[in-house]
Amino acid sequence: MIAGTLFVLDDTADEPLETWFRNGRLPALDVHAHQQTFGDGTVQSGEAAASIVKEVDVPEVATVANKDTKSLITERREQNEKMHIDWVADVTGTGIILASSVEGTEFGDFPVGLFYSRTGQEPRAQYIDVEGLHTHWDDADELDTTWLNAAEDIDGEGSSIDYHDNARSSEPATIGLGFGRFWDGTVMRGVVYQSGYVALYNCDVASNAVQFVAEEILPHCYEDEDELGSGGDSDSCVRCGRDTDTNDDGHCIVCEDKLEEEAEEDDSQTTIEDLDTVTETGGESDGE
């Protein structure tokens, strides 16, 4: 299984990640594997660790002034804690990073600050438009199974989670989706949540995980949670949601090229089908 919270660099890095230790101590980034992948990227995987400062509630026994009574109180104190994560990343291609655990998503938090310092590019947390993704996959008849459907209540006051047979409702998931999705000759099984967490249960190849996320999850991601389900702002591609210069149709250059390719394939297929129809019905042909 490969799983983690999804980040995307604000721009691709010039070089792949390298193992790094700060004077032999934490924080540290350990690169375990490199895989050449689709496009120009290099998918890598490894571990990272850091000593972070957290505020925790510390219990104390206190004596009430001028009384012979005691009570239990808590005080907020800063405490050092060592944090260890696994990660998968493609910093030179798609910019995707999956971090198994995260302590905050701001610039100085772990592992955001560590990846920023090693790439020179800021990792930006991604929110997933689960409803848009579920609807797109369902309309395209690409879902093998839907085993989890997490959605907000209509009144917005709570949420519900349905599993297995109960998850196959007519209403799309909005918070979390457990899926079996036809992809690349197999069925990718996993779960996605609006928070940006992705788990691919039957995937243990880092390059496959990155490719699936890039092709199937990223087009439904936003950096601003308020943009979920809105199709993004005027500077975002309506197909992939990335911040970019868009054309009059609202598509970025990459998506526009992809749509043109798909249209050409459809036209070619239609021409072949028309020729078959003419032949079957005894239409005109050379020599008649």
Short mmCIF file of all heavy atoms in Angstrom, two decimals, residues 64-120:
data_model
loop_
_atom_site.label_atom_id
_atom_site.label_comp_id
_atom_site.label_asym_id
_atom_site.label_seq_id
_atom_site.Cartn_x
_atom_site.Cartn_y
_atom_site.Cartn_z
N VAL A 64 -4.94 23.88 46.55
CA VAL A 64 -5.69 25.12 46.56
C VAL A 64 -5.17 26.01 47.68
O VAL A 64 -4.97 25.57 48.82
CB VAL A 64 -7.19 24.85 46.75
CG1 VAL A 64 -7.98 26.16 46.78
CG2 VAL A 64 -7.71 23.95 45.64
N ALA A 65 -4.89 27.26 47.36
CA ALA A 65 -4.33 28.20 48.34
C ALA A 65 -5.23 28.33 49.56
O ALA A 65 -6.46 28.44 49.43
CB ALA A 65 -4.13 29.56 47.68
N ASN A 66 -4.58 28.32 50.75
CA ASN A 66 -5.27 28.48 52.05
C ASN A 66 -6.26 27.37 52.35
O ASN A 66 -7.13 27.53 53.22
CB ASN A 66 -5.98 29.84 52.13
CG ASN A 66 -5.03 31.00 51.94
OD1 ASN A 66 -3.88 30.96 52.41
ND2 ASN A 66 -5.48 32.03 51.24
N LYS A 67 -6.17 26.27 51.60
CA LYS A 67 -7.07 25.15 51.87
C LYS A 67 -6.26 23.87 51.81
O LYS A 67 -5.26 23.77 51.11
CB LYS A 67 -8.21 25.08 50.86
CG LYS A 67 -9.19 26.25 50.96
CD LYS A 67 -10.34 26.06 49.97
CE LYS A 67 -11.32 27.21 50.06
NZ LYS A 67 -12.45 27.05 49.11
N ASP A 68 -6.72 22.90 52.55
CA ASP A 68 -6.03 21.61 52.55
C ASP A 68 -6.69 20.67 51.55
O ASP A 68 -7.07 19.55 51.88
CB ASP A 68 -6.06 21.01 53.96
CG ASP A 68 -5.14 19.80 54.07
OD1 ASP A 68 -4.23 19.70 53.22
OD2 ASP A 68 -5.35 18.97 54.97
N THR A 69 -6.86 21.19 50.35
CA THR A 69 -7.47 20.36 49.30
C THR A 69 -6.58 20.40 48.07
O THR A 69 -5.83 21.35 47.84
CB THR A 69 -8.87 20.88 48.92
OG1 THR A 69 -8.76 22.23 48.46
CG2 THR A 69 -9.81 20.82 50.12
N LYS A 70 -6.69 19.37 47.29
CA LYS A 70 -5.91 19.26 46.06
C LYS A 70 -6.84 19.03 44.87
O LYS A 70 -7.95 18.53 45.04
CB LYS A 70 -4.89 18.12 46.17
CG LYS A 70 -3.86 18.31 47.27
CD LYS A 70 -2.86 17.17 47.27
CE LYS A 70 -1.85 17.34 48.41
NZ LYS A 70 -1.05 18.58 48.27
N SER A 71 -6.36 19.41 43.72
CA SER A 71 -7.15 19.22 42.50
C SER A 71 -6.21 18.90 41.35
O SER A 71 -5.02 19.20 41.41
CB SER A 71 -7.98 20.47 42.18
OG SER A 71 -7.13 21.56 41.91
N LEU A 72 -6.78 18.29 40.34
CA LEU A 72 -6.01 17.93 39.15
C LEU A 72 -6.22 19.02 38.11
O LEU A 72 -7.35 19.33 37.72
CB LEU A 72 -6.46 16.58 38.61
CG LEU A 72 -5.63 16.00 37.46
CD1 LEU A 72 -4.22 15.69 37.92
CD2 LEU A 72 -6.30 14.74 36.92
N ILE A 73 -5.12 19.60 37.63
CA ILE A 73 -5.19 20.63 36.60
C ILE A 73 -4.30 20.23 35.44
O ILE A 73 -3.48 19.31 35.54
CB ILE A 73 -4.76 22.01 37.15
CG1 ILE A 73 -3.28 21.96 37.56
CG2 ILE A 73 -5.66 22.44 38.29
CD1 ILE A 73 -2.73 23.32 37.91
N THR A 74 -4.47 20.92 34.31
CA THR A 74 -3.58 20.70 33.16
C THR A 74 -3.00 22.04 32.75
O THR A 74 -3.66 23.09 32.84
CB THR A 74 -4.33 20.08 31.98
OG1 THR A 74 -5.41 20.94 31.60
CG2 THR A 74 -4.86 18.70 32.34
N GLU A 75 -1.78 22.00 32.28
CA GLU A 75 -1.10 23.19 31.78
C GLU A 75 -0.60 22.93 30.37
O GLU A 75 -0.12 21.83 30.07
CB GLU A 75 0.08 23.57 32.69
CG GLU A 75 -0.33 24.04 34.07
CD GLU A 75 0.87 24.48 34.88
OE1 GLU A 75 2.01 24.31 34.38
OE2 GLU A 75 0.68 24.99 35.99
N ARG A 76 -0.70 23.94 29.52
CA ARG A 76 -0.20 23.83 28.15
C ARG A 76 1.30 24.10 28.17
O ARG A 76 1.76 25.15 28.62
CB ARG A 76 -0.90 24.83 27.24
CG ARG A 76 -2.38 24.58 27.07
CD ARG A 76 -2.67 23.36 26.22
NE ARG A 76 -2.32 23.54 24.82
CZ ARG A 76 -2.42 22.59 23.91
NH1 ARG A 76 -2.80 21.35 24.25
NH2 ARG A 76 -2.09 22.82 22.66
N ARG A 77 2.07 23.14 27.68
CA ARG A 77 3.52 23.28 27.65
C ARG A 77 4.06 22.83 26.30
O ARG A 77 3.48 21.95 25.65
CB ARG A 77 4.19 22.45 28.75
CG ARG A 77 3.84 22.88 30.17
CD ARG A 77 4.57 22.02 31.17
NE ARG A 77 4.19 22.32 32.54
CZ ARG A 77 4.63 21.65 33.60
NH1 ARG A 77 5.46 20.62 33.43
NH2 ARG A 77 4.23 21.99 34.81
N GLU A 78 5.17 23.44 25.90
CA GLU A 78 5.84 23.01 24.69
C GLU A 78 6.69 21.78 24.97
O GLU A 78 7.33 21.68 26.02
CB GLU A 78 6.73 24.13 24.13
CG GLU A 78 5.96 25.29 23.56
CD GLU A 78 6.86 26.29 22.86
OE1 GLU A 78 8.10 26.19 23.03
OE2 GLU A 78 6.34 27.15 22.14
N GLN A 79 6.64 20.84 24.01
CA GLN A 79 7.34 19.57 24.21
C GLN A 79 7.94 19.11 22.89
O GLN A 79 7.30 19.17 21.85
CB GLN A 79 6.35 18.53 24.73
CG GLN A 79 6.95 17.17 24.98
CD GLN A 79 5.94 16.23 25.63
OE1 GLN A 79 5.47 16.48 26.74
NE2 GLN A 79 5.58 15.17 24.93
N ASN A 80 9.19 18.70 22.93
CA ASN A 80 9.84 18.18 21.74
C ASN A 80 9.38 16.75 21.46
O ASN A 80 9.27 15.94 22.39
CB ASN A 80 11.37 18.20 21.90
CG ASN A 80 11.93 19.59 21.82
OD1 ASN A 80 11.44 20.41 21.06
ND2 ASN A 80 12.96 19.88 22.60
N GLU A 81 9.13 16.48 20.20
CA GLU A 81 8.67 15.13 19.82
C GLU A 81 9.30 14.77 18.48
O GLU A 81 9.30 15.58 17.55
CB GLU A 81 7.15 15.12 19.70
CG GLU A 81 6.56 13.78 19.28
CD GLU A 81 5.05 13.83 19.23
OE1 GLU A 81 4.42 14.40 20.15
OE2 GLU A 81 4.49 13.31 18.24
N LYS A 82 9.84 13.58 18.39
CA LYS A 82 10.44 13.13 17.13
C LYS A 82 9.37 12.52 16.24
O LYS A 82 8.57 11.70 16.69
CB LYS A 82 11.56 12.12 17.41
CG LYS A 82 12.77 12.75 18.08
CD LYS A 82 13.89 11.75 18.29
CE LYS A 82 15.10 12.42 18.93
NZ LYS A 82 16.22 11.46 19.17
N MET A 83 9.36 12.94 14.98
CA MET A 83 8.34 12.49 14.03
C MET A 83 9.02 11.83 12.84
O MET A 83 10.02 12.34 12.31
CB MET A 83 7.52 13.70 13.57
CG MET A 83 6.33 13.34 12.71
SD MET A 83 5.29 14.80 12.42
CE MET A 83 4.03 14.09 11.35
N HIS A 84 8.47 10.69 12.42
CA HIS A 84 9.04 9.91 11.33
C HIS A 84 7.95 9.62 10.31
O HIS A 84 6.83 9.24 10.66
CB HIS A 84 9.63 8.60 11.88
CG HIS A 84 10.03 7.63 10.81
ND1 HIS A 84 9.19 6.65 10.34
CD2 HIS A 84 11.18 7.50 10.11
CE1 HIS A 84 9.80 5.95 9.41
NE2 HIS A 84 11.01 6.44 9.25
N ILE A 85 8.27 9.79 9.02
CA ILE A 85 7.29 9.53 7.97
C ILE A 85 7.92 8.76 6.82
O ILE A 85 9.14 8.73 6.66
CB ILE A 85 6.69 10.84 7.40
CG1 ILE A 85 7.77 11.62 6.62
CG2 ILE A 85 6.07 11.69 8.49
CD1 ILE A 85 7.20 12.71 5.73
N ASP A 86 7.06 8.14 6.01
CA ASP A 86 7.44 7.61 4.69
C ASP A 86 6.90 8.58 3.64
O ASP A 86 5.89 9.25 3.86
CB ASP A 86 6.84 6.22 4.47
CG ASP A 86 7.35 5.21 5.48
OD1 ASP A 86 8.57 5.15 5.67
OD2 ASP A 86 6.52 4.49 6.07
N TRP A 87 7.56 8.62 2.50
CA TRP A 87 7.10 9.53 1.46
C TRP A 87 7.37 8.94 0.07
O TRP A 87 8.23 8.09 -0.11
CB TRP A 87 7.78 10.90 1.56
CG TRP A 87 9.29 10.86 1.56
CD1 TRP A 87 10.11 10.82 2.64
CD2 TRP A 87 10.14 10.81 0.40
NE1 TRP A 87 11.42 10.76 2.24
CE2 TRP A 87 11.47 10.75 0.88
CE3 TRP A 87 9.91 10.81 -0.97
CZ2 TRP A 87 12.58 10.70 0.01
CZ3 TRP A 87 11.00 10.75 -1.83
CH2 TRP A 87 12.31 10.71 -1.34
N VAL A 88 6.60 9.43 -0.89
CA VAL A 88 6.78 9.16 -2.32
C VAL A 88 6.73 10.51 -3.01
O VAL A 88 5.87 11.34 -2.69
CB VAL A 88 5.67 8.22 -2.86
CG1 VAL A 88 5.68 8.20 -4.37
CG2 VAL A 88 5.84 6.82 -2.31
N ALA A 89 7.63 10.76 -3.97
CA ALA A 89 7.66 12.08 -4.59
C ALA A 89 8.17 12.02 -6.02
O ALA A 89 8.94 11.14 -6.38
CB ALA A 89 8.55 13.02 -3.76
N ASP A 90 7.71 12.99 -6.80
CA ASP A 90 8.18 13.19 -8.18
C ASP A 90 8.45 14.68 -8.33
O ASP A 90 7.67 15.41 -8.94
CB ASP A 90 7.12 12.70 -9.17
CG ASP A 90 7.48 13.01 -10.63
OD1 ASP A 90 8.69 13.14 -10.91
OD2 ASP A 90 6.57 13.14 -11.45
N VAL A 91 9.55 15.17 -7.76
CA VAL A 91 9.78 16.60 -7.66
C VAL A 91 10.22 17.22 -8.98
O VAL A 91 10.11 18.44 -9.16
CB VAL A 91 10.82 16.91 -6.55
CG1 VAL A 91 10.30 16.44 -5.20
CG2 VAL A 91 12.17 16.29 -6.87
N THR A 92 10.73 16.43 -9.93
CA THR A 92 11.20 16.98 -11.20
C THR A 92 10.18 16.86 -12.32
O THR A 92 10.39 17.39 -13.40
CB THR A 92 12.50 16.28 -11.66
OG1 THR A 92 12.24 14.88 -11.82
CG2 THR A 92 13.61 16.47 -10.64
N GLY A 93 9.06 16.16 -12.08
CA GLY A 93 8.05 15.96 -13.11
C GLY A 93 6.72 16.58 -12.74
O GLY A 93 6.46 17.76 -12.99
N THR A 94 5.87 15.80 -12.09
CA THR A 94 4.54 16.28 -11.72
C THR A 94 4.57 17.19 -10.50
O THR A 94 3.61 17.93 -10.27
CB THR A 94 3.63 15.09 -11.40
OG1 THR A 94 4.19 14.34 -10.31
CG2 THR A 94 3.48 14.18 -12.60
N GLY A 95 5.65 17.12 -9.70
CA GLY A 95 5.70 17.90 -8.46
C GLY A 95 4.95 17.26 -7.31
O GLY A 95 4.83 17.85 -6.23
N ILE A 96 4.45 16.04 -7.50
CA ILE A 96 3.63 15.38 -6.49
C ILE A 96 4.48 14.86 -5.34
O ILE A 96 5.55 14.29 -5.53
CB ILE A 96 2.84 14.21 -7.13
CG1 ILE A 96 1.73 14.77 -8.02
CG2 ILE A 96 2.28 13.26 -6.08
CD1 ILE A 96 1.01 13.70 -8.83
N ILE A 97 3.97 15.06 -4.11
CA ILE A 97 4.55 14.47 -2.90
C ILE A 97 3.41 13.85 -2.10
O ILE A 97 2.39 14.50 -1.87
CB ILE A 97 5.26 15.53 -2.04
CG1 ILE A 97 6.43 16.16 -2.80
CG2 ILE A 97 5.75 14.92 -0.73
CD1 ILE A 97 7.05 17.35 -2.07
N LEU A 98 3.59 12.62 -1.68
CA LEU A 98 2.67 11.95 -0.76
C LEU A 98 3.43 11.68 0.53
O LEU A 98 4.41 10.94 0.53
CB LEU A 98 2.15 10.64 -1.34
CG LEU A 98 1.07 10.72 -2.42
CD1 LEU A 98 0.81 9.33 -3.00
CD2 LEU A 98 -0.22 11.30 -1.86
N ALA A 99 2.98 12.31 1.62
CA ALA A 99 3.64 12.17 2.92
C ALA A 99 2.73 11.38 3.85
O ALA A 99 1.57 11.76 4.05
CB ALA A 99 3.96 13.53 3.52
N SER A 100 3.25 10.29 4.42
CA SER A 100 2.41 9.38 5.21
C SER A 100 1.84 10.05 6.45
O SER A 100 0.80 9.64 6.96
CB SER A 100 3.20 8.14 5.61
OG SER A 100 4.29 8.49 6.46
N SER A 101 2.52 11.07 6.96
CA SER A 101 2.01 11.79 8.12
C SER A 101 2.47 13.24 8.01
O SER A 101 3.53 13.53 7.46
CB SER A 101 2.53 11.17 9.43
OG SER A 101 1.92 11.77 10.55
N VAL A 102 1.68 14.15 8.54
CA VAL A 102 1.96 15.58 8.41
C VAL A 102 1.67 16.27 9.72
O VAL A 102 0.65 16.00 10.37
CB VAL A 102 1.11 16.21 7.28
CG1 VAL A 102 1.32 17.71 7.23
CG2 VAL A 102 1.44 15.57 5.94
N GLU A 103 2.56 17.15 10.12
CA GLU A 103 2.32 18.01 11.28
C GLU A 103 2.11 19.43 10.75
O GLU A 103 3.05 20.20 10.59
CB GLU A 103 3.50 17.96 12.25
CG GLU A 103 3.34 18.83 13.49
CD GLU A 103 2.14 18.43 14.34
OE1 GLU A 103 1.77 17.25 14.37
OE2 GLU A 103 1.56 19.34 14.98
N GLY A 104 0.87 19.76 10.42
CA GLY A 104 0.57 21.06 9.85
C GLY A 104 0.90 21.09 8.37
O GLY A 104 1.54 20.20 7.83
N THR A 105 0.43 22.15 7.69
CA THR A 105 0.66 22.28 6.25
C THR A 105 1.26 23.64 5.89
O THR A 105 1.35 23.99 4.72
CB THR A 105 -0.66 22.10 5.47
OG1 THR A 105 -1.60 23.09 5.91
CG2 THR A 105 -1.23 20.72 5.68
N GLU A 106 1.67 24.41 6.89
CA GLU A 106 2.27 25.72 6.63
C GLU A 106 3.74 25.58 6.30
O GLU A 106 4.34 24.51 6.47
CB GLU A 106 2.05 26.65 7.83
CG GLU A 106 0.59 26.90 8.17
CD GLU A 106 -0.17 27.54 7.03
OE1 GLU A 106 0.43 28.35 6.30
OE2 GLU A 106 -1.36 27.22 6.87
N PHE A 107 4.34 26.70 5.89
CA PHE A 107 5.72 26.70 5.39
C PHE A 107 6.70 26.03 6.35
O PHE A 107 7.53 25.23 5.94
CB PHE A 107 6.16 28.14 5.12
CG PHE A 107 7.63 28.28 4.87
CD1 PHE A 107 8.17 27.89 3.65
CD2 PHE A 107 8.47 28.77 5.84
CE1 PHE A 107 9.53 28.00 3.41
CE2 PHE A 107 9.83 28.89 5.60
CZ PHE A 107 10.35 28.50 4.39
N GLY A 108 6.64 26.36 7.64
CA GLY A 108 7.64 25.84 8.57
C GLY A 108 7.31 24.50 9.17
O GLY A 108 8.09 23.97 9.97
N ASP A 109 6.16 23.92 8.83
CA ASP A 109 5.75 22.66 9.43
C ASP A 109 6.45 21.48 8.77
O ASP A 109 7.01 21.60 7.68
CB ASP A 109 4.23 22.49 9.32
CG ASP A 109 3.48 23.54 10.12
OD1 ASP A 109 3.98 23.92 11.19
OD2 ASP A 109 2.41 23.99 9.67
N PHE A 110 6.36 20.32 9.44
CA PHE A 110 7.00 19.12 8.93
C PHE A 110 5.97 18.25 8.21
O PHE A 110 4.88 18.03 8.74
CB PHE A 110 7.62 18.33 10.09
CG PHE A 110 8.29 17.06 9.67
CD1 PHE A 110 9.54 17.08 9.08
CD2 PHE A 110 7.67 15.82 9.85
CE1 PHE A 110 10.15 15.90 8.68
CE2 PHE A 110 8.28 14.65 9.45
CZ PHE A 110 9.53 14.70 8.87
N PRO A 111 6.30 17.75 7.02
CA PRO A 111 7.58 17.84 6.29
C PRO A 111 7.64 18.95 5.25
O PRO A 111 8.52 18.94 4.39
CB PRO A 111 7.64 16.48 5.62
CG PRO A 111 6.21 16.21 5.23
CD PRO A 111 5.37 16.80 6.35
N VAL A 112 6.68 19.92 5.31
CA VAL A 112 6.62 20.95 4.28
C VAL A 112 7.94 21.71 4.18
O VAL A 112 8.53 21.87 3.10
CB VAL A 112 5.46 21.92 4.55
CG1 VAL A 112 5.40 23.00 3.47
CG2 VAL A 112 4.14 21.18 4.63
N GLY A 113 8.43 22.18 5.33
CA GLY A 113 9.67 22.94 5.34
C GLY A 113 10.87 22.15 4.86
O GLY A 113 11.76 22.68 4.20
N LEU A 114 10.89 20.86 5.18
CA LEU A 114 12.01 20.01 4.77
C LEU A 114 12.05 19.84 3.26
O LEU A 114 13.12 19.99 2.63
CB LEU A 114 11.91 18.64 5.46
CG LEU A 114 13.01 17.63 5.13
CD1 LEU A 114 14.39 18.19 5.49
CD2 LEU A 114 12.76 16.31 5.85
N PHE A 115 10.93 19.56 2.64
CA PHE A 115 10.90 19.42 1.19
C PHE A 115 11.16 20.76 0.51
O PHE A 115 11.79 20.80 -0.56
CB PHE A 115 9.55 18.85 0.73
CG PHE A 115 9.42 17.37 0.94
CD1 PHE A 115 8.53 16.85 1.86
CD2 PHE A 115 10.21 16.49 0.22
CE1 PHE A 115 8.42 15.49 2.05
CE2 PHE A 115 10.10 15.12 0.40
CZ PHE A 115 9.21 14.62 1.33
N TYR A 116 10.71 21.85 1.11
CA TYR A 116 11.00 23.17 0.54
C TYR A 116 12.50 23.42 0.53
O TYR A 116 13.06 23.87 -0.48
CB TYR A 116 10.28 24.26 1.33
CG TYR A 116 10.52 25.65 0.79
CD1 TYR A 116 9.69 26.19 -0.18
CD2 TYR A 116 11.59 26.41 1.25
CE1 TYR A 116 9.92 27.46 -0.70
CE2 TYR A 116 11.83 27.68 0.74
CZ TYR A 116 10.99 28.20 -0.23
OH TYR A 116 11.24 29.45 -0.73
N SER A 117 13.17 23.13 1.65
CA SER A 117 14.60 23.41 1.75
C SER A 117 15.42 22.54 0.81
O SER A 117 16.48 22.96 0.34
CB SER A 117 15.08 23.21 3.19
OG SER A 117 15.02 21.83 3.56
N ARG A 118 14.94 21.34 0.50
CA ARG A 118 15.71 20.43 -0.36
C ARG A 118 15.40 20.60 -1.84
O ARG A 118 16.13 20.08 -2.69
CB ARG A 118 15.46 18.97 0.05
CG ARG A 118 15.72 18.65 1.52
CD ARG A 118 16.96 19.30 2.08
NE ARG A 118 18.17 18.96 1.33
CZ ARG A 118 19.29 19.66 1.41
NH1 ARG A 118 19.37 20.74 2.16
NH2 ARG A 118 20.35 19.28 0.72
N THR A 119 14.30 21.27 -2.19
CA THR A 119 13.94 21.45 -3.60
C THR A 119 13.98 22.91 -4.05
O THR A 119 14.08 23.19 -5.24
CB THR A 119 12.53 20.91 -3.90
OG1 THR A 119 11.56 21.68 -3.16
CG2 THR A 119 12.42 19.44 -3.52
N GLY A 120 13.84 23.84 -3.10
CA GLY A 120 13.73 25.25 -3.46
C GLY A 120 12.35 25.64 -3.92
O GLY A 120 12.14 26.78 -4.36
#
